[in-house]
Amino acid sequence: MPIKLIQNSANVFSNLPGIHRVLLVSISIITFGIAFLNPNQDSSIHLIDRFDLFSAEESIPSMALSPDSEFYDVLPFYPEEIEGESVQPTDQTKFEHIIQSGDTLSSVLNQYGVDISEIAKLTKSNKDLAKLQIGQTLSWELNEEGDLNTLTWAVSKRETRTYALEDGKFTEVKDIIQGEWSDHLITGELTASLSESAKLIGLSKKEVSAITRALSWQFNTNKLKKGDKIVAVFSRESLNGKIEQSQLLGVRVQSGGKDYYALKAENGKFYNEEGYAPSQGFLRTPTNKAFKVSSHFNPRRLNPVTKRIAPHNGVDYAMPIGTPLLAVGDGTVIAAKRDGAAGNYITIKHNSQYTTRYMHLKSIHVKPGEKVKRGQKIGLSGNTGRSTGPHLHYEIWINGKAVNPLKANLPRTESMSSSEKKEFEAYIEPVLKQLTF
Ligand SMILES: [Zn+2]
């Protein structure tokens, strides 16, 4: 294998336009010259290093595969080249090319001399080849007549597609490498917020989001602070020693003396330790981020605009104009329009008991009658209607009565039947017992 790669790199070199070849050789000579001339270095040792590059076969393939490496200039460095003598054999059959901006399959193959009709034969039955991306590697082999025989497209670290000529047609074979999945227990005490502590604890950004989503219906992870504790079990896939992806199986956070759990059940959804399903619960706030309350729910408030005592039927969150607003639960839009005082507003009926309202919006993204899902973006916050500054006025109505959104009992799902709960408990048990501090 190493031998083949050496040959490849030599071939790539012989394939470069003349001026590039001259350039590479001169860079190599300059590099060499510096090694000799630098008085501060032991040039004999340096020289041995350089020669090692050529004698140690193991070190060459990796260089051959990474043309961006600083060694690339040194690589096609053969004594014959320095002398200016022509040396490379021309019977090259194997080629390799890394996709760059502007490359297409035809432009790449054609510049290496593959006939357009051959390329058409390949692309006709394999349309995916039009989706080449920068940085992917193409390698191909020609037969004795110089026609295309096989093409290999390294789509990603895990996926390779090979097109081989059979009976005048190129057929595609996909090769997908599976990594190793294993469970990982991550535990730690926060030194700051969750996102700031994540790296120290050993969590990736994606894993932090998974934890935030899993807990979102019962706890806002933005509130985690120094001294709070977290323990989580992730199933991680590692490929060539690197973590490629991971799945959260369970998490427990301890904040302000309280514990919050999110455990993945067999159906893929997260429940707390008592088996409550978050998907039917409400989001605590109609935004992804937490915002400051600028005016609380108050049945007898002095209105700052009208100077009259009037109930403030919701809570005001100060937020920049254009903040995405989310439906706090599944439901149906029953109003979405402009009104004098409310400005652009939306009303969602969630069930026979619960209704929510969102006011002063900049824009409305839903229509009356439309069904919405919990967490769905319904509009952008604004400063329309009777409003003294950019904010969201948010209301929750239960059985026709406005309630304090910060204190309201939000809908949770009905508890599981006793047999369902037994199944759930058995399923989560291996993860749950690991979630200890
Ligand atoms: Zn308000």
Side-chain angles (χ1 to χ4, degrees), residues 59-354:
S59 67
I60 290 179
S62 62
M63 288 186 294
L65 288 172
S66 53
D68 295 327
S69 95
E70 53 178 303
F71 296 108
Y72 187 62
D73 290 344
V74 184
L75 188 67
F77 185 77
Y78 295 86
E80 303 93 293
E81 295 289 341
I82 303 175
E83 306 301 320
E85 289 166 16
S86 173
V87 284
Q88 297 306 325
T90 51
D91 58 345
Q92 183 181 5
T93 56
K94 289 178 182 170
F95 298 83
E96 193 176 286
H97 180 91
I98 293 171
I99 302 301
Q100 276 149 37
S101 173
D103 281 351
T104 64
L105 184 74
S106 333
S107 76
V108 170
L109 294 181
N110 199 236
Q111 81 183 356
Y112 286 91
V114 178
D115 201 78
I116 290 288
S117 65
E118 290 287 305
I119 301 167
K121 207 189 285 175
L122 177 64
T123 51
K124 205 179 139 200
S125 46
N126 300 286
K127 305 278 183 220
D128 274 0
L129 280 165
K131 298 176 196 158
L132 297 180
Q133 284 174 21
I134 294 168
Q136 292 176 334
T137 303
L138 285 179
S139 46
W140 62 97
E141 226 178 299
L142 305 182
N143 63 16
E144 281 153 18
E145 286 82 46
D147 293 334
L148 193 61
N149 204 21
T150 58
L151 174 97
T152 303
W153 174 22
V155 179
S156 67
K157 269 177 278 180
R158 58 173 71 238
E159 186 182 348
T160 305
R161 299 189 194 181
T162 305
Y163 305 85
L165 188 63
E166 269 173 54
D167 307 325
K169 250 186 80 180
F170 285 95
T171 45
E172 181 189 72
V173 176
K174 278 188 202 176
D175 189 15
I176 293 173
I177 307 166
Q178 284 290 338
E180 296 258 321
W181 286 90
S182 58
D183 288 0
H184 295 256
L185 183 71
I186 290 108
T187 181
E189 195 175 304
L190 304 192
T191 52
S193 71
L194 178 59
S195 52
E196 285 168 306
S197 312
K199 212 174 168 187
L200 208 67
I201 302 170
L203 293 169
S204 71
K205 274 188 186 161
K206 277 187 179 167
E207 289 173 338
V208 169
S209 323
I211 288 172
T212 298
R213 272 198 312 274
L215 285 166
S216 67
W217 66 287
Q218 49 178 330
F219 181 75
N220 181 350
T221 54
N222 284 341
K223 288 185 183 160
L224 285 170
K225 55 187 187 304
K226 189 179 171 184
D228 287 346
K229 290 177 180 173
I230 185 164
V231 55
V233 180
F234 279 94
S235 179
R236 286 172 170 168
E237 186 194 21
S238 96
L239 190 66
N240 302 324
K242 265 190 75 184
I243 294 162
E244 285 298 314
Q245 54 174 325
S246 73
Q247 283 173 7
L248 178 64
L249 302 181
V251 60
R252 172 188 176 188
V253 294
Q254 201 172 68
S255 178
K258 274 188 168 176
D259 285 297
Y260 304 89
Y261 289 83
L263 296 145
K264 195 179 186 180
E266 212 166 351
N267 62 12
K269 290 180 181 167
F270 285 91
Y271 295 75
N272 75 359
E273 79 283 16
E274 286 161 353
Y276 283 113
S279 61
Q280 289 174 43
F282 272 27
L283 296 175
R284 266 287 156 201
T285 57
T287 47
N288 266 322
K289 282 199 278 179
F291 290 101
K292 222 183 104 196
V293 173
S294 54
S295 181
H296 280 274
F297 175 83
N298 184 352
R300 287 185 54 80
R301 180 180 75 153
L302 179 66
N303 188 296
V305 178
T306 62
K307 309 289 181 204
R308 283 187 310 182
I309 300 273
H312 186 228
N313 280 334
V315 63
D316 291 348
Y317 291 105
M319 63 181 69
I321 288 176
T323 303
L325 301 176
L326 317 174
V328 293
D330 293 1
T332 307
V333 176
I334 55 169
K337 60 180 180 189
R338 195 174 184 108
D339 170 88
N344 293 317
Y345 80 98
I346 298 168
T347 306
I348 299 173
K349 190 175 161 71
H350 299 279
N351 54 32
S352 59
Q353 290 183 296
Y354 284 81

